[in-house]
Every structure is written in structure tokens, then in C-alpha cells.
Amino acid sequence: MDFEAASLELLSHLLISPLVSSASLSRSFIIWINRTRLLLNCRPRLSTHSKRFILQSKGVIHNQLLEKQKIAEEKIKELEQRKSYLERSVKDAEDNIREMLMARRAQ
């Protein structure tokens, strides 16, 4: 295991573990952890676009996901409105057929 992988593994254990207190760590190590956190957040990540992979920052990917979420929520609202409209039109059609059958039976 190379140095970068080992340090990232150590950092992930320290970031996840709630038992590590700042009193037990040296000041320089805490600074190193904070700098590594910043580097991990600034590091470009791979995002998928159909069959391609593109390097983008975490912020750009986050904004794209928020935009996709908003679009999905709008589509859900539109589909729910369409569903209620179709349910009403089916109910109206059923009522019209019942009325027509009642009128034919009355003749």
C-alpha cells in the first residue's frame, strides 16, 4: 500500500470515528487532517454522462444533482396532476355511460 492510500485510510478512520478527541491529537496532526479534508473536497471526481466519464469538482456535481432533483420533482407534480385529471375524466365517462344506460332502460 502506498503512502497516499495509507494516509487516506487513516484519515477516513479518524473522520468517521467519534471516539477520537482533539485533546488526544497533536495540533499539527489536526491541521493535517483539516488540510486533507480540504484537499479531498477540492479533488475532481468522475461523473458519468451516458457512456463517458468526466472529471468535475464536487460542487459542480452537487449542483447538477440538485438540478436533476428539481426536474424530477416537477415531473412528479405534472404526472400527479395528469393522473387526477384522467381519474376525473374516467369518472365522468362512467357517469355518462350510466346515464345513457338508464335512459335506454327507461325507453
Side-chain angles (χ1 to χ4, degrees):
M1 184 181 290
D2 62 340
F3 177 72
E4 183 180 354
S7 62
L8 287 175
E9 183 179 340
L10 174 65
L11 178 65
S12 66
H13 289 296
L14 289 174
L15 295 177
I16 294 171
S17 174
L19 301 176
V20 176
S21 66
S22 60
S24 66
L25 301 175
S26 68
R27 179 171 166 72
S28 61
F29 192 66
I30 292 172
I31 292 171
W32 178 80
I33 289 174
N34 290 333
R35 286 183 182 166
T36 309
R37 282 183 187 167
L38 288 174
L39 286 175
L40 289 175
N41 286 336
C42 296
R43 186 182 224 173
R45 289 162 172 77
L46 289 173
S47 64
T48 58
H49 294 277
S50 64
K51 293 183 179 181
R52 298 176 303 185
F53 291 94
I54 299 175
L55 279 175
Q56 293 179 328
S57 68
K58 181 180 177 181
V60 171
I61 294 173
H62 182 69
N63 290 338
Q64 288 175 347
L65 290 174
L66 288 176
E67 185 66 29
K68 286 181 182 179
Q69 183 179 8
K70 288 177 187 176
I71 291 170
E73 288 172 353
E74 290 172 2
K75 286 183 181 179
I76 288 171
K77 287 179 185 178
E78 289 175 12
L79 289 172
E80 286 175 349
Q81 290 174 350
R82 227 183 268 171
K83 178 184 172 185
S84 64
Y85 170 76
L86 291 173
E87 286 174 345
R88 282 191 312 257
S89 63
V90 166
K91 184 179 177 188
D92 290 342
E94 287 174 351
D95 292 341
N96 290 339
I97 292 173
R98 279 193 200 106
E99 288 176 13
M100 193 169 40
L101 286 175
M102 294 298 276
R104 284 194 181 178
R105 286 183 187 166
Q107 291 177 353

